[in-house]
């Protein structure tokens, strides 16, 4: 199924240190597997539990744009998740908001696996409802570990690529079948790499890689 689709290199990180891993990758995007010691480290971290802990918190959601079309709306976490508004998502970076630190604290040591100890560039917390997305943007080297749900990533080295679908929407650009994916390979649109991330996996990329995302379930949480 779609959950196993990933055009990025898959790297088993068991027994590997961060320094050696990044030296080998040289900034190239990769899907990191076996990041945690447990096969299902967050089975207890559900949508309902997240709502119990943070449902009343007021948050600033955005529409996933990074240009003149960007807009924001302040709602509670419960209003956002229960409304399942695909137009909006939550994207907190560099611990500028207390909630990012509080969610990591609630997860405990699982929020920062041993592999990433000492690497804290561009920490990001993302929370999404089904079909919410972020458009192409870029920043410094970072990683994101998925805690719950499924997330599709589009990653590219070039700045001028536009995804197919209405308005370049990452969710609208997803192939509807394996046949469609095969037929599209080799076109300009598929010069980007598509990867579907599952809980316990981490996406890594170096400085300046363009990336866009689409949340594929009604509760998608990444740190």
């Amino acid at each position: 199924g779609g959950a196993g689709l990933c055009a990025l290199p898959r790297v088993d990180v068991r027994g590997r240190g961060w320094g050696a891993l990044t030296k080998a990758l040289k900034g190239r995007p990769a899907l990191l597997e076996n990041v945690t010691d447990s096969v299902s480290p967050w089975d207890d971290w559900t949508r309902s539990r997240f709502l119990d802990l943070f449902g009343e918190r007021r948050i600033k959601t955005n529409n996933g744009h990074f240009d003149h079309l960007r807009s924001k709306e302040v709602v509670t976490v419960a209003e956002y998740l229960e409304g399942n508004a695909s137009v909006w998502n939550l994207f907190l970076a560099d611990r500028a908001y207390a909630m990012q630190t509080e969610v990591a604290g609630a997860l405990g040591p699982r929020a920062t696996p041993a592999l990433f100890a000492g690497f804290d560039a561009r920490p990001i917390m993302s929370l999404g409802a089904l079909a919410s997305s972020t458009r192409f943007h870029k920043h410094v080297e970072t990683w994101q570990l998925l805690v719950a749900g499924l997330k599709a990533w589009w990653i590219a080295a070039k700045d001028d690529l536009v995804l197919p679908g209405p308005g370049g929407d990452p969710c609208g650009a997803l192939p509807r079948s394996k046949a469609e994916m095969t037929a599209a390979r080799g076109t300009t649109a598929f010069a980007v790499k598509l990867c579907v991330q599952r809980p316990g996996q981490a996406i890594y990329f170096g400085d300046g890689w363009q990336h866009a995302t689409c949340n594929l379930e009604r509760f998608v949480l990444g740190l």
Side-chain angles (χ1 to χ4, degrees), residues 62-67 69-71 133-135 167:
N62 67 75
N63 65 348
H65 285 263
F66 292 85
D67 55 17
L69 297 175
R70 187 174 179 83
S71 61
S133 65
T134 57
R135 305 302 176 102

Side-chain angles (χ1 to χ4, degrees), residues 61-146:
T61 59
N62 67 75
N63 65 348
H65 285 263
F66 292 85
D67 55 17
H68 66 284
L69 297 175
R70 187 174 179 83
S71 61
K72 300 178 181 180
E73 182 177 80
V74 177
V75 295
T76 66
V77 170
E79 287 170 340
Y80 170 61
L81 287 177
E82 291 170 355
N84 198 35
S86 62
V87 175
W88 305 100
N89 63 69
L90 177 67
F91 183 90
L92 305 179
D94 299 317
R95 300 195 179 88
Y97 295 86
M99 185 176 169
Q100 185 177 359
T101 301
E102 291 168 5
V103 171
L107 281 166
R110 296 178 293 179
T112 308
L115 174 69
F116 302 120
F119 178 72
D120 198 29
R122 188 67 177 175
I124 294 170
M125 172 192 154
S126 65
L127 176 65
L130 180 64
S132 59
S133 65
T134 57
R135 305 302 176 102
F136 269 130
H137 62 289
K138 62 182 179 179
H139 47 67
V140 298
E141 178 185 36
T142 194
W143 55 270
Q144 185 165 74
L145 183 65
L146 201 64

Side-chain angles (χ1 to χ4, degrees), residues 36-45 107 110 145-147 199-201:
T36 64
D37 294 332
S38 172
V39 175
S40 302
W42 293 288
D43 281 351
D44 60 330
W45 199 253
L107 281 166
R110 296 178 293 179
L145 183 65
L146 201 64
V147 175
Q201 295 176 329

